[in-house]
Amino acid sequence: IQHFYGHRRALNMGVAGDTTQTLLWRLRQGGWPAALRPRVAVVLVGTNNAGFGWHAAPTAQAILSVVEEVRSRAPGVHVVLVGLLPRGAEPDDAGRLLNHEVNRLLAPCHDGRTLFWLDAADVLLDGRQRLTSLVSYDQLHLTPYGYAILSTAMESALRAALESAAPAVR
């Protein structure tokens, strides 16, 4: 994260293996520093829920619960909600289909004022909709190249959120 966002003083609060419920637990148990008041928070969580057999609707609702928890911890924060990334090498992978359905449920939540939606799945896939080892070494976790693609895709949503969250000039 420092490589791509260090100049913005970004803080990565992600933990490997997190599900929505473990993230919510951590946030509620002091995992969000009381003095932390970011203008923008990027939320990318939920693909591990699929790995534990969750269905799309409860996963989408749990992701929205994370967004609301972040908002309660940092009133006025603008959120970039990143859709679940593709998983599995092939387009018909069950985990990828589930993540796609979660994204379909989440996309309408975008309001362009305080919640900004980004579905970066297409830019991570090749022309035949495959997730290659160049982008994801295990068809789940991104390689440095995959993170470079994701950070480039995220830039416009992040800039829009930062501009929207900027204090008014008087």
Side-chain angles (χ1 to χ4, degrees):
I1 189 165
Q2 288 305 316
H3 179 74
F4 298 110
Y5 302 107
H7 66 286
R8 289 188 168 132
R9 299 182 317 155
L11 173 64
N12 181 357
M13 295 178 63
V15 173
D18 251 354
T19 61
T20 54
Q21 62 271 41
T22 56
L23 175 56
L24 282 169
W25 180 87
R26 200 169 64 256
L27 291 174
R28 293 171 179 161
Q29 299 303 315
W32 184 281
L36 183 62
R37 294 285 183 255
R39 290 188 308 152
V40 174
V42 175
V43 174
L44 172 54
V45 66
T47 196
N48 290 333
N49 289 54
F52 288 106
W54 280 48
H55 295 286
T59 299
Q61 187 55 53
I63 292 168
L64 293 176
S65 294
V66 169
V67 170
E68 290 310 310
E69 187 67 28
V70 167
R71 286 178 164 166
S72 75
R73 302 276 165 200
V77 70
H78 289 60
V79 176
V80 175
L81 179 57
V82 180
L84 300 186
L85 304 179
R87 55 188 296 159
E90 299 299 326
D92 61 351
D93 179 86
R96 186 181 312 179
L97 295 172
L98 178 61
N99 283 4
H100 179 75
E101 179 63 13
V102 170
N103 290 348
R104 188 188 67 73
L105 294 169
L106 291 173
C109 297
H110 165 83
D111 66 17
R113 294 184 316 274
T114 62
L115 183 61
F116 298 82
W117 169 251
L118 172 67
D119 186 348
D122 287 344
V123 299
L124 295 168
L125 301 173
D126 72 9
R128 292 176 28 199
Q129 299 300 298
R130 292 176 303 180
L131 185 60
T132 68
S133 60
L134 182 64
V135 173
S136 173
Y137 61 89
D138 62 356
Q139 284 66 54
L140 177 60
H141 301 94
L142 297 180
T143 63
Y145 180 72
Y147 276 112
I149 294 169
L150 178 60
S151 68
T152 300
M154 191 167 31
E155 189 60 27
S156 63
L158 189 54
R159 282 187 185 187
L162 285 165
E163 288 171 10
S164 179
V169 177
R170 295 179 192 232

